[in-house]
Amino acid sequence: MSDLRPRLLDLCCGAGGAAHGYRLAGWHVTGVDLVAQPNYCGDVFVQADALEYLSEHGRSFDAIHASWPCEKFANVTGATGDRATHPDLVTPGRPLLVASGRPWVIENVPEAPIRAHYLLCGSMFGLHVRRHRAFETSWSGGPRLTPPCWHHRDLVPFDHSRERAYADAMGCTWMTNKEARKAIPPAYTHHIGTDLIDALTTRAREETAA
């Protein structure tokens, strides 16, 4: 039986925090990462350079998600290290996403040079974690409403002594502690992935009507 799910390309995928959410939303997900990811939870994993893979294969997918490395822009990097030693893939990656002609999402820290069409926190989804992430999207139309941030004192903080509890609270139970440090809660992309399917459905109806 053929898989009728729309196909999404998950760039710089890590162990698949984004992938799990997209799959819950109904996507078939192919992950690409420069480093082997034995715990990746998507449907297919490819070890490759994300920019090169996007340039060569982006058009063969229905949509593209890019979790470009955030260390270049994160405040914590500026406090503990040198941002100049980390790569900026947002700048070369965005024009490649545009050139693909496919709907796309860029995920990064709020400090990154992207337009935050979505600014999400774990507390918006009933998760006991505070982890803000910004998402720039290519499609028009506003996102579905989410509850506001609620930074209650019982939220699980990130610190190295509580990494396992933090990973589990995000919903990344299949990851190692180290993998979860760079992951996002799957609830974020479950939310965005549902909006994206709605956007594609609306576009298809408009094209049929025209």
Side-chain angles (χ1 to χ4, degrees), residues 1-207:
M1 182 176 178
S2 61
D3 191 333
L4 300 179
R5 292 176 294 169
R7 299 176 67 244
L8 181 131
L9 178 59
D10 178 19
L11 299 168
C12 298
C13 62
H20 185 50
Y22 280 117
R23 294 186 80 218
L24 290 173
W27 292 88
H28 177 285
V29 185
T30 296
V32 175
D33 203 289
L34 192 61
V35 179
Q37 300 291 339
N39 291 328
Y40 184 64
C41 67
D43 297 282
V44 178
F45 174 75
V46 179
Q47 186 172 356
D49 179 277
L51 292 176
E52 292 178 0
Y53 195 90
L54 169 59
S55 180
E56 295 175 9
H57 303 286
R59 289 182 175 273
S60 63
F61 293 85
D62 297 299
I64 304 167
H65 173 99
S67 288
W68 304 128
C70 66
E71 291 87 352
K72 180 77 172 180
F73 313 107
N75 286 335
V76 66
T77 309
T80 62
D82 183 359
R83 289 193 178 100
T85 64
H86 296 282
D88 169 16
L89 298 190
V90 172
T91 300
R94 184 185 283 105
L96 291 177
L97 290 168
V98 173
S100 74
R102 300 295 182 258
W104 50 262
V105 181
I106 298 174
E107 175 269 320
N108 217 286
V109 292
E111 308 90 80
I114 65 174
R115 296 182 293 275
H117 295 128
Y118 297 76
L119 183 60
L120 303 180
C121 172
S123 64
M124 295 175 174
F125 301 94
L127 302 176
H128 293 288
V129 293
R130 181 172 67 180
R131 195 170 185 83
H132 294 105
R133 287 297 182 270
F135 297 81
E136 178 178 343
T137 67
S138 65
W139 64 88
S140 60
R144 290 176 295 120
L145 295 177
T146 57
C149 263
W150 188 61
H151 294 165
H152 192 268
R153 58 186 174 83
D154 291 336
L155 294 183
V156 178
F158 177 82
D159 62 65
H160 289 291
S161 66
R162 301 188 68 187
E163 281 187 276
R164 185 69 259 155
Y166 191 83
D168 292 343
M170 285 200 299
C172 297
T173 56
W174 71 95
M175 296 185 188
T176 67
N177 292 1
K178 184 177 180 180
E179 289 168 339
R181 290 176 198 169
K182 297 184 178 182
I184 59 173
Y188 296 3
T189 47
H190 187 184
H191 179 78
I192 292 173
T194 301
D195 284 352
L196 179 50
I197 285 180
D198 289 345
L200 289 175
T201 301
T202 299
R203 178 186 293 180
R205 288 173 179 167
E206 292 174 348
E207 292 175 350

